[in-house]
Amino acid sequence: MDQDQRPLMVTIQCITYNHEKYIRQCLEGFVMQKTNFRFEAIVHDDASTDGTADIIREYAKQYPDIIKPIFETENQYSKHDGTIGKIIRQNTFGKYVAMCEGDDYWIDPLKLQKQVDFLESHPAYGLVYTDVNFYFQNKDVMKCNYISSGKLKQSHDLEEHLINAGYMAPCTWVYRKDFLPKKSHQYVDGTFPLALDIWAQSKVYFFNETTTVYRHLSESASHSRSLQKGFYFTNGVFQIQKDYIKKYRSLISETTEEKVYLSAYCRLLPAAIALKNGAFVKEALMYFKDKHIPYKMKLISSIYKLAPLPMTLLFRFLYRMKGKDV
């Protein structure tokens, strides 16, 4: 059958910026897929300043039915106005959506076929994800089967995923286009709220097979050597949790809500104290007070009021001991 006559089943969303070292491996993972349906990869280059765009052009010329490039002349991510999400949504036409950023890559040529086959035969499921290898770029270390080996917490329902603020390796996903966000929200991460929406409205299935490699870089939006950037991202995830507790109020128990808030405040308070973020400390103390947790409130209040400088130095020291810089 002529490929153009087959139904378009999957749109792969690939966002890339200055990934010259990695993008070829990423694109190879797309074009090696063996399917009985048509799929395409929307490769959005956000005005890269290296050779990323040239490599994308090379693959688009060689595989015009698969690689559909979008080249920006001005960086869109820096605008923080949801432009990239809007562009990607407008160019997503498949029945299902897959995701893979330009520095990650697929290693299973049957990845899409197996996931689509499952979703086609299980209409109650909205998303299928798989196991993943983590490649630590700076250390040149590959850690295999990162989910099934227990290195990542696995969620089994909406509340568990909300509490865990879980990472489900989006580079392994295939999900129904029905769940494609209608608009962009200005969150620090777009995949966490998407996963919560899917958990709230359908079932999620985990394939215990490794299909993908996630490239762990020393600096990214989700992990950084900067204490300030780390706090910004983690607090941004907490904001998503708070918003989604409100959004799915009827599905979220008070116990789950309390676990989310306590975990986030305890995790973020040390950094907030070190960064002298009085507004966040005050917010946490008010929560402890409202929930009648006086021992934590008094302890943190005393530390913050009586010894802000020593605590700042202590937390900065501990942060550096993890091999990170403030």
Side-chain angles (χ1 to χ4, degrees):
M1 182 183 292
D2 188 309
Q3 183 170 335
D4 289 340
Q5 295 178 7
R6 295 184 298 173
L8 176 62
M9 293 295 282
V10 179
T11 295
I12 305 164
Q13 298 178 342
C14 178
I15 297 175
T16 187
Y17 174 72
N18 283 357
H19 288 152
E20 180 181 10
K21 296 179 181 178
Y22 319 123
I23 190 64
R24 190 177 298 276
Q25 199 170 25
C26 175
L27 298 179
E28 281 292 334
F30 300 160
V31 301
M32 76 173 183
Q33 292 298 303
K34 298 177 181 179
T35 66
N36 60 14
F37 52 80
R38 186 160 59 96
F39 66 94
E40 63 182 6
I42 306 303
V43 185
H44 180 277
D45 179 71
D46 200 14
S48 292
T49 58
D50 60 5
T52 301
D54 291 335
I55 296 172
I56 296 171
R57 289 189 181 95
E58 173 191 331
Y59 274 79
K61 183 177 180 180
Q62 189 173 358
Y63 303 97
D65 294 329
I66 297 176
I67 307 300
K68 312 290 186 181
I70 299 173
F71 298 107
E72 300 290 351
T73 56
E74 180 184 4
N75 186 268
Q76 302 300 310
Y77 175 79
S78 59
K79 296 179 180 180
H80 299 291
D81 62 358
T83 299
I84 291 180
K86 182 179 180 181
I87 293 170
I88 292 294
R89 285 194 301 276
Q90 289 174 341
N91 288 277
T92 298
F93 301 108
K95 181 178 180 180
Y96 301 104
V97 181
M99 307 168 69
C100 187
E101 294 195 0
D103 53 349
D104 303 323
Y105 59 99
W106 296 347
I107 56 177
D108 183 352
L110 296 176
K111 174 189 184 297
L112 290 182
Q113 186 69 60
K114 288 184 284 191
Q115 291 177 289
V116 168
D117 284 348
F118 179 87
L119 290 170
E120 285 285 280
S121 59
H122 295 80
Y125 287 81
L127 180 149
V128 179
Y129 70 110
T130 77
D131 211 340
V132 62
N133 294 341
F134 266 44
Y135 178 64
F136 293 84
Q137 181 73 34
N138 289 356
K139 299 178 181 179
D140 190 23
V141 172
M142 183 78 76
K143 295 191 176 182
C144 298
N145 309 323
Y146 217 72
I147 296 177
S148 60
S149 63
K151 294 183 178 69
L152 290 174
K153 286 184 178 180
Q154 265 192 282
S155 303
H156 300 91
D157 56 41
L158 171 64
E159 290 189 295
E160 197 171 16
H161 197 60
L162 187 66
I163 292 169
N164 293 340
Y167 177 77
M168 292 165 51
C171 51
T172 75
W173 295 6
V174 172
Y175 67 92
R176 298 183 188 278
K177 188 188 174 185
D178 295 345
F179 292 108
L180 189 68
K182 300 298 186 292
K183 62 180 181 178
S184 297
H185 296 281
Q186 299 309 303
Y187 287 132
V188 296
D189 174 61
T191 60
F192 180 39
L194 174 56
L196 292 172
D197 282 326
I198 296 174
W199 274 114
Q201 301 171 55
S202 72
K203 295 181 179 180
V204 173
Y205 187 77
F206 172 66
F207 265 147
N208 193 9
E209 300 178 21
T210 298
T211 66
T212 306
V213 175
Y214 170 77
R215 194 183 306 271
H216 188 287
L217 303 174
S218 59
E219 283 293 323
S220 70
S222 58
H223 43 264
S224 171
R225 292 175 295 178
S226 165
L227 179 58
Q228 179 69 53
K229 290 180 181 178
F231 176 82
Y232 171 80
F233 181 82
T234 307
N235 193 32
V237 170
F238 184 28
Q239 185 60 53
I240 295 171
Q241 292 172 302
K242 289 189 281 189
D243 288 351
Y244 271 70
I245 286 172
K246 294 177 183 177
K247 182 174 182 177
Y248 295 113
R249 180 73 278 173
S250 62
L251 303 177
I252 306 299
S253 69
E254 290 184 8
T255 300
T256 293
E257 179 179 355
E258 192 166 292
K259 286 181 179 179
V260 167
Y261 274 75
L262 282 175
S263 174
Y265 284 133
C266 291
R267 185 170 63 251
L268 284 162
L269 265 174
I273 293 171
L275 294 168
K276 300 181 182 179
N277 188 328
F280 185 88
V281 175
K282 182 178 179 181
E283 175 188 326
L285 295 181
M286 287 298 297
Y287 180 82
F288 291 147
K289 182 178 181 180
D290 290 344
K291 294 296 179 181
H292 306 291
I293 314 175
Y295 72 94
K296 286 186 178 180
M297 181 187 71
K298 290 178 181 178
L299 174 62
I300 296 168
S301 180
S302 298
I303 291 173
Y304 187 69
K305 291 179 179 179
L306 299 178
L309 180 58
M311 288 307 298
T312 298
L313 295 176
L314 173 61
F315 285 122
R316 286 175 180 266
F317 172 76
L318 292 174
Y319 203 71
R320 286 196 178 98
M321 288 301 97
K322 295 179 181 179
K324 301 177 180 179
D325 298 321
V326 176

